[in-house]
Amino acid sequence: MNVGRFVLACTLLVGASWGGKAGQSQKAPCRPGFSQNFYTVIVSRDVLRGQSILKDTTLSRERVRFEDCQRSSREVGFISSDPNFGVRPDGTLYAEQFVANLSEPVQFMVTARALHDPRIWETTVKLALAGHLHSLPLTKFGFEEMLSRVWDSQPRVIRFSRKHQRGSSANSLRRQKRDWVIPPINVPENSRGPFPHMLVRIRSDQDKDVGIRYSITGAGADQPPSGIYNIDPISGNMFVTQPLDREERASFHLRAHAVDMNGNQVENPIDLYIYVIDMNDNRPEFQNQVYNGSVAEGSKPGSSVMQVTATDSDDSTTANGMVRYRILSQTPHSPIPNMFTINSETGDIVTVAAGLDREKVSQYTIIVQATDMEGNLNFGLSNTATALISITDINDNPPELTAGTFTGEVPENKVNVVVTNLTVVDRDQPHSPNWNAVYRIVNGDLTGSFTVRTNPITNEGMVTVVKPVDFELNRSFVLTVVVSNQAHLASGIQSSLQSTAGVTISVQDVNEPPVFPVNPKMIRFEEGVPAGTTLTVFAAQDPDHFIHQTVRYSKLSDPANWLKINRTNGQITTMAMLDRESIYVKNNMYEATFLAYDNGKSGSPQASGTGTLQIYLIDVNDNAPVLVPREAQVCERARPNSRINITASDADADPNIGPFVFELPSFPTSVRRNWTISRLNGDYAQLRLRIPYLEAAVYEIPVIVSDSGNPPLSNRSLIRVKVCPCDNNGDCSATGAVAAAGLGTGAIIAILICIIILLSMVLLFVVWMKRREKERQAKPLLIDPEDDVRDNILKYDEEGGGEEDQDYDLSQLQQPESLDHIISKPSGVRRVDERPVISESQYPVRPSLPHPGDIGDFINDGLRAADNDPTAPPYDSLLVFDYEGSGSTAGSVSSLNSSSSGEQDYDYLNDWGPRFKKLADLYGGGEEDD
């Protein structure tokens, strides 16, 4: 029963100026289309019963705006996908017929399209009963039923657009009526059929006059994915052939064609837009099944922990793809079951309450659920993921020593020894800065003899001796040790009283070696003190004051063996004169090392200590100066540069050295007559000729040198001066050098004669050796050369046959004299007794009169030549046997057979002695046959 049309509480309003109606000013930028993609309309029960209660004010308050963004006047048409509802040109939504039941939500599409504009816009409208928006039993089945209202409604008829004209004459004004706006075809996904299912019917107004054939083209029809849609070419009924999946393809654009029987186009093609309506057929999927996050212990409520993310393949603009999050469970429930909360839209997990304590709970396991349909658990699909929340450590637990007092022992004079270990307890994260202990000695170690090192594995404090301690000075130590962490304590955390402990260390007495009070000890003495002089007493002390022990001494090192030490009291006495100029004295210092040892105590070995005595030797003038250089040369004629610079060296030290005094002795008188000395400075003087010319020769000139000691010491030294003729440059010539060396003409002649005699003796010796060699070679051998077989090759004559075989031709067995028949044979095949046709090896030739000692070498040379001679028999070649044929010249060998058939007597073998007894027994038989 029709009760008329009624307007719902929603109006689609076009915001632009349409049909000349004045609109409000346009806001930039303008985006054409509906202001929302999804509208929910609340419908009251009274309205459903036909009672219109809507006012203009209500309509204006609840309008949904559509922006056209065009200043010019044009019309926009609205099409509803549900035949039960329609949209007026002003955007008002109304019911086409009486709606008997709206107990379930109804959802349909509204499409907007302007005239001569290929673009279309689309929005979704959802109708729900007032007061039951959230209480409607929208199960998955119910939602599919809601969408099936579009699917199961009466298929629409889509006609090809036509152009109409008004007026009777051709010149009259014509107005073109706007084309039909073809609404999109909505098909729900995952439909259960049956298939093929009719969607719409395509019709042409000329189908009554002309036979029309209909077809569709586009993706989904004749293009991949082809075959999803088809059309009856006669009736124009369009079908879908299979279920659709919006997640694979959300829309299709097809074109419908109408032609006559001859294939001529009758109507212009129309565009068909098919939209796949989304259904909630995909669960939300988390990006990870397990998420890992962390938060510091003691964090305040609202502290961010982590974020989880889930995606839904359904349409995100609808409730099907809107995901909401919630926490299902928390493990463990300490300190409360709900320590965390999650933002339902973003998936951010934050803390709710205080009380996170890593030492109690180090990790929480959170099960997070993601549900689509905006989190509606009645019809939304869900999925879960796990969030592992680790509680990170802060330094909220100070380290505590396990005892208030620790004890230990250490032997005296020992270093790097661990006295005791301090154990500590810290509940923070092991092997982290919040757990690692740092120990400090705050009292009881004035000398800095101890330190506390941290064991990196156990975190214990190792009290270690770093400086030797003395039992005689301190028998025990009481230290105060404080322990802390590498990291500072967290804010508001106080140090524990158990972070401080006392450490008592007892020092153990050991037998210490004697110690020299002054080591090294230096004394000063003049050199030259005689043997037996007491220098000093080098005594040692025993540190063990509480035990009486005897100290003894011995010498450990004395390079010059000058000293000795008294074994009892350590008195040092000289055994030889001390000499500062000795090689064992370095920088006037002589060092000797002595050993002091005690007699030990019960249960302890002897202990010994060493001491060094340094003797500083004071110089005395006990060394006369020595002239330097000892040799020189000058020209025989006095020249300005013919001078000799001389100086002196003195083994003593200042002031017992220079300045030196140089002078010539008065005897012999020729010295002062020919030479003179002039002083240059305190250490140098010049020696030069006094006379204009001095014969070239070698002169030994005495010079007296005196030092500056008290009293001074003098030394008469000789300087060997070579006087020689010089060239223009003042250098001695070669002849002059020889003459200056003291060799006269007679000496030179004598040297030459000696050289000639020496060469003659060498020549005579060579001649004698040659003669002796010839005599040795000419000496006859001890035996006759004919009988000497040491280096001869013996040749034996061939013997003939036996007495009974003397008629064969021996030439068959002899080596042929001619090689012509061998040369003519093919290469590679020859007899074994044929000599190869190659060059013969060169054998060594024996001398006519060889020396007996050369025989061995000759034999060895011949052996090597024979080994390398391929022509020497036997010849290494392939043995080929020729066919002898008949009538051999060798004759018969039948004479070798015995002509007697009777028994032969072998008794004579018994007369041959015991060696032939066995043979006689075999052939004769002897007495064994009897």
Side-chain angles (χ1 to χ4, degrees):
M1 182 181 68
N2 292 332
V3 295
R5 299 176 179 176
F6 60 91
V7 179
L8 302 181
C10 180
T11 301
L12 305 179
L13 181 62
V14 179
S17 176
W18 299 337
K21 295 182 180 180
Q24 296 180 357
S25 60
Q26 183 178 358
K27 295 182 180 180
C30 178
R31 298 178 61 186
F34 293 99
S35 60
Q36 296 184 21
N37 293 327
F38 189 88
Y39 297 95
T40 301
V41 181
I42 310 299
V43 182
S44 65
R45 295 181 181 272
D46 294 338
V47 174
L48 294 177
R49 294 173 183 173
Q51 298 179 6
S52 176
I53 60 173
L54 295 179
K55 303 291 185 181
D56 292 339
T57 57
T58 304
L59 291 176
S60 63
R61 178 171 54 86
E62 296 182 355
R63 286 178 178 177
V64 179
R65 185 176 296 276
F66 177 87
E67 294 291 346
D68 184 47
C69 299
Q70 295 290 333
R71 294 185 180 273
S72 60
S73 174
R74 68 173 181 177
E75 295 180 354
V76 176
F78 297 95
I79 301 298
S80 171
S81 62
D82 192 334
N84 295 324
F85 301 96
V87 183
R88 294 191 180 97
D90 60 353
T92 303
L93 183 67
Y94 63 93
E96 293 282 357
Q97 58 186 355
F98 176 74
V99 180
N101 184 14
L102 195 61
S103 60
E104 297 178 354
V106 175
Q107 181 173 309
F108 54 90
M109 307 293 294
V110 175
T111 304
R113 183 174 181 181
L115 187 63
H116 303 298
D117 193 339
R119 294 177 298 172
I120 63 173
W121 292 271
E122 187 178 76
T123 187
T124 303
V125 178
K126 180 179 179 181
L127 303 181
L129 186 65
H132 294 77
L133 180 62
H134 298 287
S135 61
L136 294 176
L138 292 180
T139 61
K140 181 178 181 181
F141 176 76
F143 194 64
E144 292 179 354
E145 287 295 325
M146 176 189 70
L147 295 178
S148 66
R149 297 176 67 88
V150 178
W151 178 272
D152 295 332
S153 60
Q154 182 68 25
R156 293 174 296 174
V157 176
I158 299 177
R159 297 180 180 274
F160 287 90
S161 60
R162 303 292 298 170
K163 296 182 179 179
H164 302 275
Q165 296 179 354
R166 286 186 180 182
S168 57
S169 62
N171 298 326
S172 63
L173 179 63
R174 294 187 179 95
R175 184 177 65 87
Q176 178 178 321
K177 186 178 182 180
R178 66 180 178 87
D179 292 340
W180 289 95
V181 178
I182 307 300
I185 304 171
N186 296 290
V187 181
E189 65 173 335
N190 302 326
S191 175
R192 292 188 292 270
F195 295 101
H197 184 84
M198 181 177 176
L199 298 179
V200 294
R201 181 182 179 187
I202 309 297
R203 285 198 57 192
S204 172
D205 294 343
Q206 302 183 29
D207 59 352
K208 296 179 181 180
D209 301 331
V210 182
I212 303 297
R213 293 295 180 265
Y214 302 97
S215 64
I216 56 175
T217 60
D222 60 343
Q223 299 176 13
S226 59
I228 298 179
Y229 303 97
N230 58 27
I231 189 171
D232 188 333
I234 299 176
S235 64
N237 295 333
M238 180 177 172
F239 300 91
V240 60
T241 62
Q242 62 189 34
L244 303 181
D245 189 354
R246 191 201 67 85
E247 286 69 43
E248 292 183 1
R249 192 179 183 98
S251 64
F252 297 87
H253 179 199
L254 303 178
R255 305 198 74 182
H257 306 272
V259 296
D260 58 14
M261 301 300 294
N262 297 323
N264 299 319
Q265 179 177 319
V266 177
E267 302 282 357
N268 292 327
I270 59 175
D271 292 322
L272 302 177
Y273 294 93
I274 302 175
Y275 292 97
V276 182
I277 300 177
D278 182 45
M279 296 180 62
N280 191 19
D281 58 343
N282 291 279
R283 294 179 180 273
E285 295 292 339
F286 283 94
Q287 294 180 357
N288 302 302
Q289 283 301 313
V290 179
Y291 290 84
N292 292 284
S294 62
V295 63
E297 61 176 331
S299 297
K300 297 179 180 180
S303 300
S304 177
V305 179
M306 61 191 302
Q307 183 184 30
V308 297
T309 304
T311 57
D312 198 313
S313 300
D314 292 325
D315 189 358
S316 60
T317 62
T318 65
N320 297 336
M322 296 181 181
V323 180
R324 298 295 183 264
Y325 304 92
R326 72 188 188 105
I327 295 178
L328 295 182
S329 65
Q330 168 192 308
T331 305
H333 293 173
S334 175
I336 60 174
N338 299 318
M339 289 295 296
F340 305 93
T341 186
I342 187 170
N343 188 304
S344 61
E345 295 184 0
T346 63
D348 291 322
I349 300 177
V350 297
T351 59
V352 176
L356 293 175
D357 191 349
R358 191 203 65 84
E359 287 71 38
K360 294 181 180 179
V361 179
S362 61
Q363 188 181 68
Y364 289 90
T365 301
I366 305 297
I367 304 300
V368 180
Q369 183 184 57
T371 306
D372 56 16
M373 296 301 294
E374 298 182 280
N376 194 314
L377 300 178
N378 293 327
F379 55 87
L381 301 178
S382 301
N383 210 337
T384 60
T386 302
L388 301 179
I389 303 176
S390 299
I391 309 302
T392 59
D393 184 47
I394 64 172
N395 195 11
D396 57 344
N397 294 280
E400 298 178 351
L401 295 164
T402 58
T405 303
F406 296 86
T407 59
E409 294 181 348
V410 59
E412 62 176 336
N413 300 322
K414 295 290 185 180
V415 294
N416 295 325
V417 176
V418 178
V419 179
T420 185
N421 290 325
L422 309 180
T423 55
V424 69
V425 174
D426 195 322
R427 292 178 295 171
D428 289 322
Q429 181 69 37
H431 304 288
S432 68
N434 300 329
W435 179 82
N436 296 334
V438 178
Y439 299 88
R440 293 180 296 111
I441 299 175
V442 297
N443 193 13
D445 186 19
L446 299 178
T447 59
S449 301
F450 301 93
T451 188
V452 184
R453 298 167 180 161
T454 303
N455 188 318
I457 300 176
T458 62
N459 213 27
E460 295 179 350
M462 302 179 294
V463 182
T464 309
V465 183
V466 294
K467 291 182 180 180
V469 293
D470 193 349
F471 175 81
E472 286 72 27
L473 297 179
N474 292 298
R475 296 191 178 187
S476 65
F477 294 86
V478 179
L479 310 178
T480 302
V481 179
V482 175
V483 62
S484 59
N485 291 124
Q486 288 182 353
H488 296 291
L489 290 175
S491 177
I493 305 299
Q494 300 296 328
S495 299
S496 174
L497 296 177
Q498 298 180 358
S499 298
T500 303
V503 181
T504 301
I505 301 175
S506 300
V507 181
Q508 298 175 344
D509 187 23
V510 297
N511 184 24
E512 299 177 83
V515 177
F516 291 91
V518 181
N519 190 15
K521 181 179 181 180
M522 188 181 70
I523 59 175
R524 299 172 65 92
F525 266 88
E526 287 186 354
E527 65 173 330
V529 295
T533 302
T534 300
L535 300 181
T536 185
V537 175
F538 197 25
Q541 298 176 359
D542 192 348
D544 298 320
H545 301 302
F546 302 100
I547 302 175
H548 179 69
Q549 296 186 103
T550 303
V551 179
R552 294 291 182 264
Y553 304 92
S554 64
K555 186 170 61 174
L556 188 62
S557 173
D558 184 11
N561 199 23
W562 287 343
L563 308 175
K564 65 179 179 178
I565 186 170
N566 188 289
R567 184 173 179 273
T568 304
N569 57 16
Q571 180 177 322
I572 306 297
T573 308
T574 61
M575 295 190 303
M577 184 178 65
L578 304 182
D579 186 5
R580 192 196 67 86
E581 289 75 33
S582 172
I583 60 174
Y584 302 105
V585 178
K586 306 297 182 184
N587 298 326
N588 301 333
M589 193 74 68
Y590 180 76
E591 289 187 357
T593 306
F594 299 93
L595 183 69
Y597 54 93
D598 58 21
N599 56 354
K601 63 180 181 178
S602 58
S604 299
Q606 290 182 348
S608 60
T610 59
T612 301
L613 179 64
Q614 295 178 340
I615 305 175
Y616 185 86
L617 296 177
I618 302 173
D619 183 47
V620 297
N621 193 16
D622 57 347
N623 293 279
V626 178
L627 188 65
V628 177
R630 304 304 297 269
E631 293 183 354
Q633 64 181 15
V634 297
C635 295
E636 59 184 359
R637 297 186 182 275
R639 294 187 179 186
N641 57 353
S642 296
R643 297 178 181 183
I644 301 172
N645 293 330
I646 59 176
T647 184
S649 65
D650 197 326
D652 293 324
D654 190 57
N656 297 320
I657 52 176
F660 300 105
V661 177
F662 303 91
E663 57 182 350
L664 296 175
S666 57
F667 183 84
T669 58
S670 60
V671 175
R672 290 193 173 185
R673 184 177 65 248
N674 297 333
W675 302 91
T676 181
I677 288 181
S678 59
R679 182 174 180 177
L680 295 178
N681 53 38
D683 295 331
Y684 289 90
Q686 280 188 348
L687 176 65
R688 56 188 175 84
L689 287 173
R690 180 185 292 271
I691 59 178
Y693 173 79
L694 183 64
E695 184 182 357
V698 178
Y699 300 88
E700 291 183 352
I701 302 172
V703 178
I704 299 174
V705 184
S706 302
D707 58 21
S708 298
N710 186 17
L713 293 180
S714 300
N715 183 24
R716 181 187 175 96
S717 301
L718 293 177
I719 179 172
R720 186 182 177 90
V721 179
K722 298 178 181 179
V723 180
C724 60
C726 295
D727 54 17
N728 295 331
N729 296 327
D731 299 329
C732 285
S733 60
T735 306
V738 174
L743 297 179
T745 305
I748 295 175
I749 294 175
I751 292 174
L752 294 176
I753 292 174
C754 292
I755 294 175
I756 293 173
I757 294 174
L758 180 60
L759 293 176
S760 301
M761 293 177 64
V762 173
L763 182 59
L764 292 174
F765 179 76
V766 172
V767 172
W768 177 78
M769 289 298 295
K770 290 289 185 179
R771 181 173 296 179
R772 183 181 177 185
E773 181 67 20
K774 291 181 179 179
E775 292 177 354
R776 183 178 61 83
Q777 295 178 358
K779 187 176 181 180
L781 296 175
L782 298 178
I783 60 177
D784 190 359
E786 294 295 333
D787 298 333
D788 186 7
V789 297
R790 289 175 293 181
D791 57 351
N792 293 332
I793 299 177
L794 302 181
K795 182 177 180 182
Y796 298 92
D797 295 335
E798 286 87 353
E799 297 183 358
E803 295 177 355
E804 299 179 0
D805 297 322
Q806 293 291 337
D807 55 348
Y808 61 86
D809 187 4
L810 294 179
S811 62
Q812 298 294 329
L813 302 177
Q814 293 177 351
Q815 181 174 333
E817 297 297 336
S818 176
L819 299 178
D820 295 337
H821 67 287
I822 297 177
I823 297 176
S824 61
K825 278 192 173 185
S827 60
V829 180
R830 58 186 178 85
R831 295 174 58 91
V832 71
D833 56 348
E834 293 178 356
R835 186 174 185 176
V837 185
I838 57 177
S839 60
E840 297 183 358
S841 300
Q842 298 296 326
Y843 287 88
V845 180
R846 186 183 66 173
S848 59
L849 295 175
H851 189 272
D854 298 335
I855 295 178
D857 296 338
F858 179 78
I859 293 177
N860 292 331
D861 294 340
L863 179 61
R864 284 192 295 270
D867 290 339
N868 298 324
D869 185 9
T871 62
Y875 312 116
D876 188 9
S877 62
L878 178 65
L879 185 60
V880 179
F881 295 92
D882 293 338
Y883 175 67
E884 294 182 359
S886 60
S888 173
T889 58
S892 175
V893 293
S894 60
S895 61
L896 296 177
N897 296 331
S898 177
S899 60
S900 175
S901 60
E903 294 292 336
Q904 187 173 356
D905 187 10
Y906 295 99
D907 291 340
Y908 63 89
L909 296 176
N910 294 324
D911 300 335
W912 287 9
R915 295 186 178 180
F916 295 91
K917 185 176 183 305
K918 185 65 176 177
L919 186 62
D921 294 340
L922 291 175
Y923 288 91
E927 299 176 355
E928 294 179 1
D929 297 337
D930 296 340

